[in-house]
Amino acid sequence: MSRFSRLSIILAGLGLTAALGLTACERVPLLAPTGTVINLTLASDVAALNSSVDVIAVLIENGGTSGTGTGTSSSTTAAGTPVQNGTVVSFTTTIGTIEPAEAKTQNGRVNVKLVTGGQSGKATITAYSGGAKSTAQITIGAAAVDHILTTASPANLSSSGGSTTISARVEDVSGNGLVGIPVQFTSTKGTLSASTVNTNSNGVATTTLSTTVAADVTATVGAKTSKVTVNVATRASVTVTGPTSTVS
């Protein structure tokens, strides 16, 4: 074999090795370097059932953190710089799903969504990349209910009874109506058109009570209850007294 042929084989082998090495490197995901801080933020502290909430993670190299809490787990200080574009960040949640569960940074930032289902509770969301990790919490569904406001329209029925609309507005601690919350209705008298109703876009669930006597209607969500009384007017009565002497 000539010297030129041997040299060609060597160069070809080196080229193949370099190509294989490059392919192997491309397969290894880029993760956050040591000392990276993840600032994890949720668009809201509460979420309705079967809804979605934006989740934002900002990765800072050599950053610092201050403060923790529901919704925002930490905040970065002015020190540090965003991680390299394409750094892979993974997400998990104890309730619902994260879509997508893995994302790559752009200017140190990734945006994903928490998609809730039909389960209520307090969800813990975790974002991690390399050795960096951060968590945040959000209250979902009935777990976010602070109080219920129940009304009847009309609240007073005629002596023959009738029908009235019972409305229950489900609110969080800030007075915001909660969407998609199942409300259970019970009544001491009469009949209800529906015993379980989900709240609408205004956080209100409604049912109809039909009764001929006064009744108390209770709306229940988890451990929270609220009651309204529907009154029925008293029937007028006439007393007739006969004569005491003999009638001829």
Side-chain angles (χ1 to χ4, degrees), residues 195-217:
S195 58
T196 302
V197 183
N198 290 344
T199 56
N200 60 18
S201 59
N202 296 317
V204 178
T206 60
T207 188
T208 301
L209 170 70
S210 298
T211 184
T212 57
V213 294
D216 291 332
V217 180

Side-chain angles (χ1 to χ4, degrees), residues 9-195:
I9 293 173
I10 293 172
L11 291 176
L14 291 174
L16 178 60
T17 301
L20 291 174
L22 181 60
T23 302
C25 290
E26 290 176 347
R27 291 176 180 173
V28 177
L30 178 62
L31 301 177
T34 302
T36 297
V37 170
I38 300 179
N39 178 25
L40 185 61
T41 305
L42 308 182
S44 174
D45 291 340
V46 298
L49 298 176
N50 302 305
S51 67
S52 65
V53 177
D54 289 333
V55 179
I56 302 170
V58 178
L59 282 69
I60 303 294
E61 293 186 45
N62 302 316
T65 61
S66 61
T68 58
T70 301
T72 302
S73 63
S74 61
S75 59
T76 57
T77 64
T81 57
V83 297
Q84 183 176 338
N85 286 346
T87 298
V88 176
V89 186
S90 299
F91 296 86
T92 63
T93 178
T94 55
I95 298 177
T97 58
I98 300 292
E99 297 182 1
E102 188 176 275
K104 295 181 179 180
T105 59
Q106 181 65 36
N107 297 324
R109 175 188 176 111
V110 295
N111 290 63
V112 296
K113 287 184 180 294
L114 166 68
V115 179
T116 65
Q119 180 182 353
S120 297
K122 182 162 287 189
T124 299
I125 299 171
T126 303
Y128 59 93
S129 179
K133 183 173 79 170
S134 183
T135 61
Q137 290 187 323
I138 184 171
T139 306
I140 299 174
V145 177
D146 181 74
H147 56 273
I148 308 170
L149 302 175
T150 307
T151 59
S153 180
N156 298 294
L157 300 176
S158 67
S159 59
S160 59
S163 297
T164 179
T165 299
I166 308 298
S167 300
R169 177 174 164 85
V170 181
E171 298 182 345
D172 62 17
V173 67
S174 300
N176 301 310
L178 298 175
V179 182
I181 304 299
V183 180
Q184 291 185 334
F185 292 97
T186 58
S187 179
T188 55
K189 299 292 182 179
T191 59
L192 295 168
S193 61
S195 58

